[in-house]
Amino acid sequence: MTVSPHPAHHVGPLVTARLVLRRVRSGDVAAVTRLWTDPLVRQHLGGPVIESVVRIRQRRIVGAPGFHAVVRAEDGVLVGLVTVEDGARNGETEVSYQFLPEHWGQGYAREAVDAVVARVLEGAPSVVALTQEANHPSRRLLEAVGFEHAESFVEWDARQVLYRRRA
């Protein structure tokens, strides 16, 4: 993954009503590793990441621009990860996200994704997000924060839906 300089990558922590989004720290690596290896989290993302790739990612994620650790403001518990990748799809900025299952259904993902996308749109005309057609919770989240269906296609042996939100 190539993450290039973007205003969303260099501004300090992003604070919402309940969350703080900041760069990944070494203390976050165990929770982030769970995101990469949890079968429920990875159900619509091609399955758990293999061990050798996890080790490479663990060395690269701490402090990396474009990766936003999502922690609860009240207690600092990491609940998820939102990633911003410039030029990922046809030159557009792409936002992706993963949240630990025990934090699903509490609105954290919606709050975090909405905040990150709003920041990205301060410096980009649009942002895209991709999910599997079968991932109905993710599709509802994207639509709830203002993304619109842009196209559908088959990739990685599954029906995919590309969403776009414009500034």
Side-chain angles (χ1 to χ4, degrees):
M1 173 182 297
T2 303
V3 181
S4 61
H6 186 284
H9 305 321
H10 297 292
V11 179
L14 179 58
V15 180
T16 69
R18 301 179 298 160
L19 305 169
V20 176
L21 290 84
R22 56 163 173 74
R23 289 198 179 180
V24 176
R25 299 175 183 160
S26 58
D28 301 327
V29 171
V32 172
T33 298
R34 266 195 65 214
L35 288 168
W36 295 331
T37 58
D38 185 290
L40 283 174
V41 174
R42 302 289 305 174
Q43 179 179 1
H44 297 288
L45 297 169
V49 176
I50 62 173
E51 186 176 328
S52 58
V53 174
V54 167
R55 285 194 306 270
I56 292 167
R57 287 183 176 186
Q58 287 172 331
R59 289 192 303 265
R60 294 181 178 169
I61 193 157
V62 174
F67 294 91
H68 301 273
V70 181
V71 298
R72 286 194 305 227
E74 67 186 49
D75 58 10
V77 170
L78 189 138
V79 298
L81 185 69
V82 178
T83 305
V84 177
E85 184 179 2
D86 291 332
R89 200 158 276 276
N90 299 322
E92 288 184 276
T93 300
E94 183 175 351
V95 171
S96 59
Y97 46 90
Q98 300 173 59
F99 284 75
L100 293 167
E102 62 267 27
H103 303 292
W104 292 356
Q106 299 175 49
Y108 294 136
R110 179 178 177 170
E111 188 174 329
V113 170
D114 194 36
V116 169
V117 168
R119 182 172 278 175
V120 169
L121 290 174
E122 291 173 4
S126 65
V127 62
V128 295
L130 181 67
T131 191
Q132 284 189 7
E133 186 174 275
N135 190 347
H136 299 290
S138 185
R139 294 180 67 190
R140 283 191 303 271
L141 181 151
L142 292 169
E143 291 167 3
V145 299
F147 279 83
E148 295 180 354
H149 178 268
E151 64 181 286
S152 297
F153 52 91
V154 175
E155 191 172 66
W156 301 299
D157 297 324
R159 299 269 320 148
Q160 307 291 328
V161 182
L162 180 75
Y163 284 89
R164 181 173 289 111
R165 180 170 156 185
R166 296 189 188 281

